[in-house]
Amino acid sequence: METGESGAGSCVLRSAEVGDAAALAAIYAAHVESGSASFDTVPRTVAETEEKIRDIREKGWPFLVATRGSEIVGYAYASQFRDRPAYGFACEDSIYVRSDHVGQGIGSQLLAALITQSTAFGFRQMIAVIGGGEPASVALHGKMGFEHAGRMRSVGRKFGRWLDSVYMQIALGEGDSSAPKREPDERKAPSK
């Protein structure tokens, strides 16, 4: 998959590859070390990032990188919102843009493509869990049609201060207006 648009903020989007791990780890590390978007306090290693790419791709979920020329300037992926089977149609988005490229439309381009690919996968709801209630992330998700779904106050602590998590949500495809073609794996109680 490769997409691109013309314009100052445009970049080329493609599927993530394991070989991208060092660049993605560096982008994530900058957010962990200086921001509240991630509640991690220690950045992922390159090896952990390689494993994340493999895991998401093996499940068929979208994992995108944004490039300008030969440089990776951002990435986004969707993963199942929670690991229990009944959550199988809800995903959580994660988007990180290299700090020297923030505010250039890359996040919008990544999120639009992520919504499209997550819908194609069969997810029916996308949840944004916005660490620190980051205003730029709230604005980005609102611009893309997400609605406020809640705020968990002071659930994180980083850089000597309490942090909220803001939840935003958007329906994908038919949302909850129809039943999916497949049901999640459910364990049935033994018959008596």
Side-chain angles (χ1 to χ4, degrees):
M1 177 259 148
E2 195 169 298
T3 65
E5 297 177 8
S6 60
S10 69
C11 49
V12 174
L13 304 183
R14 63 170 173 78
S15 293
E17 301 167 1
V18 173
D20 299 328
L24 303 188
I27 291 170
Y28 189 66
H31 285 275
V32 169
E33 293 168 349
S34 65
S36 60
S38 170
F39 280 10
D40 275 336
T41 56
V42 176
R44 281 188 206 111
T45 66
V46 172
E48 290 168 334
T49 305
E50 289 172 346
E51 184 57 34
K52 180 166 271 306
I53 295 167
R54 279 189 203 97
D55 182 52
I56 289 172
R57 292 204 46 186
E58 284 172 7
K59 291 175 177 157
W61 301 334
F63 198 137
L64 305 170
V65 296
T67 62
R68 283 196 174 147
S70 61
E71 294 185 338
I72 294 175
V73 295
Y75 69 95
Y77 61 87
S79 54
Q80 188 172 310
F81 179 62
R82 296 284 186 264
D83 63 357
R84 294 181 181 99
Y87 285 110
F89 296 98
C91 64
E92 179 179 345
D93 71 304
S94 295
I95 301 173
Y96 294 95
V97 175
R98 206 169 80 185
S99 59
D100 59 341
H101 284 73
V102 170
Q104 298 178 19
I106 296 168
S108 296
Q109 194 175 347
L110 280 165
L111 185 52
L114 192 65
I115 289 169
T116 298
Q117 289 194 16
S118 296
T119 303
F121 174 78
F123 286 124
R124 294 291 191 94
Q125 301 290 327
M126 182 177 279
I127 312 296
V129 180
I130 303 170
E134 291 291 328
S137 187
V138 170
L140 167 64
H141 285 86
K143 175 179 133 181
M144 300 302 290
F146 284 71
E147 296 179 355
H148 182 80
R151 176 182 290 265
M152 295 174 54
R153 299 199 181 278
S154 302
V155 293
R157 187 156 173 87
K158 192 172 175 184
F159 306 129
R161 61 188 176 105
W162 291 107
L163 299 169
D164 296 352
S165 279
V166 170
Y167 284 72
M168 297 182 78
Q169 181 174 350
I170 189 171
L172 303 177
E174 295 178 26
D176 61 1
S177 67
S178 67
K181 290 183 172 58
R182 63 173 175 81
E183 289 295 331
D185 298 331
E186 296 176 348
R187 293 183 184 201
K188 304 214 187 274
S191 302
K192 293 187 179 186

